[in-house]
Amino acid sequence: MPMGVTRLVGRTDEVRTLARTLAATRGGDGRAVFLVGEPGIGKSRLAVATRDLASAVGTRVLHGRGGAVGPAIPLRPLREALLSVTAVLAPADLDVLGPYRSALARLVPDWAVDDPSRPQPPDHDLLALAEGVLRLTGLAGRGRGCLLVLEDLHDADSPTLAVLDYLVDNVGRQPTTLLGTLRTDAGPALDLVRAAARRGACRLVPLGPLDPDGLRQLAGVRLDTHPDELPQPAIDLLWAGSGGNPGSPRTPSANWSTPVCCGPPPPGGGSGASGPTTRRPCPP
């Protein structure tokens, strides 16, 4: 399991929804799903779990992420997603895309074709780019299905959202699952996916907080301790600070490094006048 990634806890219904979506995609029924929630709620972790499910059955995975650090990179999530598939798609494989290959070459220069006889879409033609991305997912997922993951869409620029809008409306034409993640912050990305959901073009999966039992289970996983050994006061503290969002900056142990006591004192351990209570510390 990658560093910093823990076993998924408390998202059984969401995982089932995404597993059914991937199965439908492999059958040729493309769909768009968006995970929406506040920062730290587990959108990226659920996206990782979906990527794992897809990879386990041979579905091709393309992945890109928006970014708010450093200079803005136009169309960054789409650039990353296309670059993630260059190792498995040779340039010659792209000939079936026709003029749309040239549109994609805006994002992946290695795919450019120096052939003046071929029709070239204008550089500013986002519609050609969007159709090119859509057809590429079909090519990448031929016979196996494709999962296109675009994370942190709240940070996406306007051209990315324009392409996304087209993909959502047309993904049903390809064996592709489009999975996006974004925050609940008001903005154009949230407006886009809500409007798409209203017209039935996508499914929104809102991620709410974990319940106290789910928070206990997650704390046990993070601390490598059986959940039943975590004292209730520690869980109460986590709940009070997080409201069920373990990644919230308000959480007392948001980095899960704050030591808490795990389990009762050993037999014979005293307290008060008899001496301090000794408890086994949680693993770091």
Side-chain angles (χ1 to χ4, degrees):
M1 186 173 291
M3 182 178 297
V5 174
T6 61
R7 178 170 59 85
L8 194 62
V9 172
R11 301 297 183 194
T12 303
D13 291 343
E14 291 87 349
V15 170
R16 287 174 179 166
T17 294
L18 291 165
R20 287 194 296 266
T21 301
L22 290 172
T25 291
R26 291 193 298 275
D29 183 13
R31 302 182 182 183
V33 179
F34 292 92
L35 308 178
V36 182
E38 63 185 52
I41 204 68
K43 301 182 296 295
S44 292
R45 181 64 190 91
L46 189 53
V48 168
T50 308
R51 291 165 60 187
D52 290 344
L53 287 172
S55 297
V57 295
T59 296
R60 187 80 71 198
V61 178
L62 285 66
H63 176 252
R65 179 190 299 275
V69 178
I73 300 175
L75 298 161
R76 171 177 166 169
L78 297 168
R79 290 176 188 271
E80 288 189 1
L82 268 57
L83 288 169
S84 71
V85 79
T86 54
V88 295
L89 282 181
D93 296 334
L94 305 177
D95 287 343
V96 297
L97 299 178
Y100 297 105
R101 174 174 175 173
S102 297
L104 295 176
R106 294 175 51 191
L107 306 186
V108 184
D110 286 345
W111 291 349
V113 177
D114 187 14
D115 184 355
S117 66
R118 287 196 176 189
Q120 305 291 318
D123 288 343
H124 63 274
D125 189 350
L126 287 176
L127 185 62
L129 176 60
E131 178 64 20
V133 172
L134 184 67
R135 294 190 182 200
L136 179 72
T137 66
L139 177 63
R142 186 169 49 192
R144 62 173 67 205
C146 178
L147 171 64
L148 172 60
V149 182
L150 301 175
E151 292 195 67
D152 293 342
L153 289 170
H154 48 270
D155 289 328
D157 59 351
S158 295
T160 296
L161 295 181
V163 172
L164 178 68
D165 192 45
Y166 182 88
L167 295 178
V168 170
D169 282 341
N170 293 279
V171 71
R173 294 196 276 115
Q174 302 292 347
T176 299
T177 293
L178 168 59
L179 177 63
T181 73
L182 66 159
R183 295 178 182 173
T184 51
D185 302 340
L190 187 60
D191 291 343
L192 185 157
V193 300
R194 282 179 171 171
R198 285 194 296 270
R199 63 179 183 267
C202 71
R203 178 168 185 168
L204 295 189
V205 179
L207 298 185
L210 297 175
D211 59 23
D213 182 64
L215 194 61
R216 177 185 288 275
Q217 296 293 324
L218 181 58
V221 171
R222 291 284 185 92
L223 297 172
D224 194 23
T225 301
H226 194 283
D228 292 343
E229 295 185 359
L230 295 171
Q232 188 58 44
I235 301 302
D236 292 343
L237 180 64
L238 287 174
W239 179 262
S242 69
N245 181 352
S248 167
R250 304 185 305 272
T251 307
S253 296
N255 61 6
W256 302 94
S257 62
T258 303
V260 296
C261 294
C262 299
S271 62
S274 299
T277 297
T278 301
R279 295 192 179 184
R280 178 171 60 83
C282 286

